[in-house]
Amino acid sequence: MDVKTADFRQRARAALAQPTLQRSLQGMRRAMPALRSAALAALPDHAALRDRARESRDHALAHLGHYLVAFESRVRAAGGEVHWARTGAEAGAIVAGLCERAGARRVIKSKSMVTEEIGLNATLAARGLQVTETDLGEYIIQLRGESPSHILAPALHVSLAEVGAAFERHHRRSRTAPLTEAGAMLVEAREELRAVFRAADVGITGANFLVAETGAAVLVTNEGNADLVASLPATHIVVTGIEKVVATLDDLGVLLRLLARSAIGEPLSSYTTLVHGPRRATEAAGPAAFHVVLVDDGRSALLGTPRQEILRCIRCSACLNHCPVYTAVGGHAYGSVYSGPMGAVLAPAIDGLATTAQLPAASTLCGRCEAVCPVAIPLPRLLRDWRGEALRAGFTTPAWRRSLRLWQWLAAHPVLYRFVLGLAAGGLRLVSVPARRGERRIRRLPLVARGWFAVRDLPAPEGGSFQARWRARQP
Amino acid sequence: MSESPPVVALLVTCLVDLFRPSVATAAVRLLERRGFRVEVPSQTCCGQPNRSGGDDDGARRLARRLIASFAPYARVVAPSASCVATVHDYPALFPPGSDDHAAAVALAARTVELTAFLGEQGPDPGRAAVAGPLIAAWHDGCTGLRRLGLDRQPRELLGRVAGLELRDLPGREECCGFGGAFCVEYPEISAQAADHKLDEALATGAQLLLGADLGCLLHLQGRAQRRGLPLDTAHIAEVLAAAIADDGHGREDG
Ligand code: SF4
C-alpha cells in the first residue's frame, strides 16, 4: 500500500470541504442505519443469531490452523491448489507467478478488499498484465485511478456527473450527447465489460468466507460479476485473508443471514455463490485451473492477543455507516484501504502504528460501531488499546503525553487539584464575555485548547469549584 | 427525628466541579428530597481522560485513589454517565484475584448514575413544575445510552415535570461529537456532529437541550454560542431540581 495515514487530520479537513463527498455521506448517514435496523427488526431473535455468529467466528479463529489445513485439503481433493502468503508482497508475487504460468495477458477482477490491501493491481500491471475491475464501483474508481472510499461501496465519493465524465474519457465511442443518465451509464459499462469478460485469461476474486467443511470459497455480490469472473476465464484465483475461514456450512448460514442485513438491510445479497475447485468432467462451464491464495499480512500476529477479536470481522461495513467520524470524512481520509472503526483497528495491524497512530485517536469512542457489529467486536476497546500502544511506543505528540501525565499528577494531589480548579474557575470567569440570556462565554484563550476554540465558544464556569462551595457550607 | 437517613456519596465529576457546581447542588437537592443524606468526600478525577487516552498506568493510579475515597459508602451517585462507566470499568485495570480488583468490583457495583438512581427510588411523591410551556429536547449521551442503558429513566423523570414538553431527536443514537480529547484534536469533525445535533434539536421546536453529561453539554452549548443559535442547554439535574415545588416533601436543603 502506498497511501499513508500520517496526515489524517489534513485529509479529514479536505474531505469536509468536498461538496460531492459530503452529499454522498450525508445521504447515507441516515439511510443506511434505517435500512439495517428495519431488516434486523424483522429477523426473529436477532440477538441469539448474533451470539451464534460471534461464536462461530471465535471458534474458527481459536482453531485457525486446523480449519485452514482442512480447507486446503478439501480444495486439493477437488483439484485446486492452495498457496500461503506471509506478506502482501509475497501474495502479489504468487498471483503474478500464477498468471505467468497461465500465459495470461488479460486479468479480470471482482471486488476484493484484500487485493486492494496488498496493492495487487499495481503488481500485476508492472508485469505487463492488463487488469480490469468488473464491480461497477471498482471499475469507476479504477478508471479514475483511485482507491475505494468504502469497503462495500468503493465509489461512494464519486458523483454521477463524475462517473459520466470518466466514461466519456475512457470509453472510445462516438457520442452525440453527453453521458448524464445513470441508466445509460450502466448500459455502457455493461457493454464495455462484456468484451473484457470474454477476452480474459485469468479471473481474480476475493472470498467473503471459506468453508473448511466443504472447501468452498463463498462469493457474495450484488452484481453477479464475481460469478462471471470465477467461471469464464480458464484460471480462477481466489485471494483472501486467512481469517475468512469458517468451520461448517451451518456457520456460514448464520453469518450470511447477518451479513447483507447489516450491510445493506437486505435478507441476502443478490448473488451468493459457493465455488469448489476447477471445472469437473461433468460440468459444462468453469475454470480449468483453480487457486486459493491465503494472505496473512499481519493477521496471525493478532492471534492470541486481545486484538484477535478484530479478525471476527466479516466486512459488512455497518460500523462505517454508523460512525460519526467515517460519515463526516469518508474513507480516503483514513489513508488505508480499510476505513471507519474496523479500518482504524486493522490499519495499525497491517501497516504498523508508526504511520497509522492517528486513526485510533480519531474516534469519540461513542460505541455505536460495537452496538451494530454483527459479530460484536468491541471496537472502542480495541481503539483504546491501540492508543495505549501508540502512547507507549512514542507515536503520539509529546504535548499529548505531557498533558496526560500532568493531569494524572494533578489529580493525585487533591489539595493542589482543588486550588488549580478554583483558580481556573475564577480565571475563566474573569475573561468571559456576556452570552445570551445572562450566560457568559469565552471566545478564545491564548495558546491553550486551540482545537476547542477553533469551532466553538467555551461556556464560562460559574466561578469557584463545587467542592469549595460544599466545604464552605459544612458546619 | 427518629432514625438517621441513609447516606449516599456524591461523585461530583471534574467538569461539574469546575464549570457547573450548580449541577452538583441540584443533585444534592434531588437526593435529599428522596430522603438521603449526601456526603461529598474529598475527590479528584476518576481517570477517564487517561483511560480513554490509553494511559492505563495513570488511570490505574487515579482509580486506586477514587476507590479509597469512596470505600466507606454503600452508594455512590454521579451526575455523569461517562464517569460512572469509567468506574464500572475499573475492574479491567487490575488483575483478577488482586485486592485492587476486588475493591474495584465492589465500587463498580455500588456506583450509579444520578437519573438511574432516582429512577430506582420510584416516582417522586411531590409535584414538579416549571414555568412553562417549555419545550426541551433530550440528548441521549452515548455512554449513558449504550453502556448504562439510560433511556427510560431520564425521560420518566422529565415526563413528570408539569409545563415541560420533552421531544426526542430523530438521530438520538448518534454521537454529538464531543468524545473528550477528540473534540479538541479533531474540531472540524466534532463540529459537524454537533451541528447535526443542534440543528435537529432546533427543528423539533425545542428551546432547551437537556442531557446527563456535562461534557456533551458544554461542547454543544459552546458550539451553539459560536453559531449564535437560540438554544440553551442544561443538565437534567438542574431542571429537575428547579422544578421541585416547595410542597413540604423531602428534606430541606442545607
Ligand atoms: S467490524 Fe463489525 S460492523 Fe465493522 S465491518 Fe467488521 S463485522 Fe461489520
Side-chain angles (χ1 to χ4, degrees), chain A residues 151 310 313-319 342 369 372-375 377 379:
Chain A
I151 60 173
I310 191 60
C313 177
I314 59 172
R315 309 286 191 269
C316 73
S317 78
C319 60
M342 57 80 81
C369 49
V372 299
C373 175
V375 287
I377 298 172
L379 293 153

Side-chain angles (χ1 to χ4, degrees), chain B residues 35-128:
Chain B
F36 294 95
R37 192 160 64 76
V38 179
E39 292 196 9
V40 183
S42 167
Q43 53 189 282
T44 61
C45 171
C46 67
Q48 186 183 168
N50 299 79
R51 182 75 165 133
S52 301
D55 172 21
D56 286 358
D57 290 334
R60 216 175 337 265
R61 263 175 239 136
L62 295 180
R64 278 204 197 93
R65 297 193 64 88
L66 195 115
I67 291 169
S69 305
F70 287 90
Y73 299 97
R75 289 322 285 274
V76 178
V77 177
S80 158
S82 66
C83 301
V84 168
T86 301
V87 174
H88 285 182
D89 202 28
Y90 276 175
L93 288 168
F94 302 104
S98 63
D99 289 351
D100 280 329
H101 187 262
V105 169
L107 181 66
R110 302 199 308 269
T111 304
V112 55
E113 189 274 340
L114 176 68
T115 62
F117 185 76
L118 293 173
E120 276 175 30
Q121 310 308 313
D124 188 318
R127 242 175 60 77

Side-chain angles (χ1 to χ4, degrees), chain A residues 9 30 411 436 457 462 467, chain B residues 22 44 174 185 200 226:
Chain A
R9 202 183 308 266
R30 279 288 162 76
R436 64 191 295 270
D457 295 342
E462 291 164 9
Q467 290 196 69
Chain B
S22 57
T44 61
E174 291 165 12
E185 289 294 304
E200 218 168 83
R226 179 62 58 92

Side-chain angles (χ1 to χ4, degrees), chain A residues 9 13 22 29-30 366 384 387 408 411 417-418 436-437 443 453 455-457 462 466-467, chain B residues 14 17 21-22 42-44 51-52 61 174 183 185 188 190 192 200 219 222-223 226 232:
Chain A
R9 202 183 308 266
R13 227 170 258 152
Q22 287 301 317
R29 193 174 72 85
R30 279 288 162 76
C366 78
R384 209 175 56 188
R387 291 180 183 183
Q408 190 270 126
Y417 172 90
R418 275 197 294 275
R436 64 191 295 270
R437 321 233 304 181
R443 310 265 357 224
F453 293 104
V455 296
R456 37 180 124 59
D457 295 342
E462 291 164 9
F466 174 76
Q467 290 196 69
Chain B
C14 305
D17 212 0
S22 57
S42 167
Q43 53 189 282
T44 61
R51 182 75 165 133
S52 301
R61 263 175 239 136
E174 291 165 12
C183 77
E185 289 294 304
E188 296 86 0
S190 173
Q192 192 193 71
E200 218 168 83
H219 151 74
R223 179 66 184 167
R226 179 62 58 92
D232 296 316

Side-chain angles (χ1 to χ4, degrees), chain A residues 49 52-57 59-60 71 207-220 244-261 267-268 271-276 314 375:
Chain A
L49 197 64
R52 281 196 59 199
R54 180 202 164 127
E55 282 158 19
S56 72
R57 293 297 298 127
H59 176 81
F71 171 78
N208 293 80
F209 302 99
L210 305 171
V211 184
E213 185 182 27
T214 63
V218 184
L219 310 175
V220 178
K244 295 280 174 66
V245 74
V246 298
T248 64
L249 281 176
D250 260 4
D251 288 349
L252 174 68
V254 170
L255 293 164
L256 285 177
R257 290 178 73 195
L258 287 173
L259 176 58
R261 287 182 166 94
L268 271 182
Y271 300 87
T272 302
T273 305
L274 282 68
V275 296
H276 307 83
I314 59 172
V375 287

Side-chain angles (χ1 to χ4, degrees), chain A residues 136-260:
Chain A
L136 184 59
E138 284 284 346
Y139 178 66
I140 292 165
I141 63 169
Q142 186 184 29
L143 293 184
R144 289 166 52 89
E146 292 175 318
S147 59
S149 64
H150 183 278
I151 60 173
L152 281 196
L156 181 77
H157 59 286
V158 187
S159 71
L160 195 63
E162 287 168 336
V163 174
F167 283 7
E168 285 179 12
R169 204 161 47 242
H170 291 276
H171 297 166
R172 258 171 265 129
R173 9 178 111 204
S174 55
R175 293 174 196 284
T176 48
L179 190 57
T180 54
E181 208 251 315
M185 292 179 203
L186 209 58
V187 169
E188 199 171 301
R190 200 171 274 150
E191 285 170 4
E192 293 285 329
L193 286 173
R194 192 158 298 152
V196 177
F197 273 122
R198 285 213 198 90
D201 309 304
V202 169
I204 297 175
T205 68
N208 293 80
F209 302 99
L210 305 171
V211 184
E213 185 182 27
T214 63
V218 184
L219 310 175
V220 178
T221 68
N222 275 310
E223 296 171 16
N225 60 311
D227 301 275
L228 293 178
V229 173
S231 57
L232 287 181
T235 300
H236 175 200
I237 306 174
V238 176
V239 182
T240 196
I242 53 169
E243 84 283 13
K244 295 280 174 66
V245 74
V246 298
T248 64
L249 281 176
D250 260 4
D251 288 349
L252 174 68
V254 170
L255 293 164
L256 285 177
R257 290 178 73 195
L258 287 173
L259 176 58

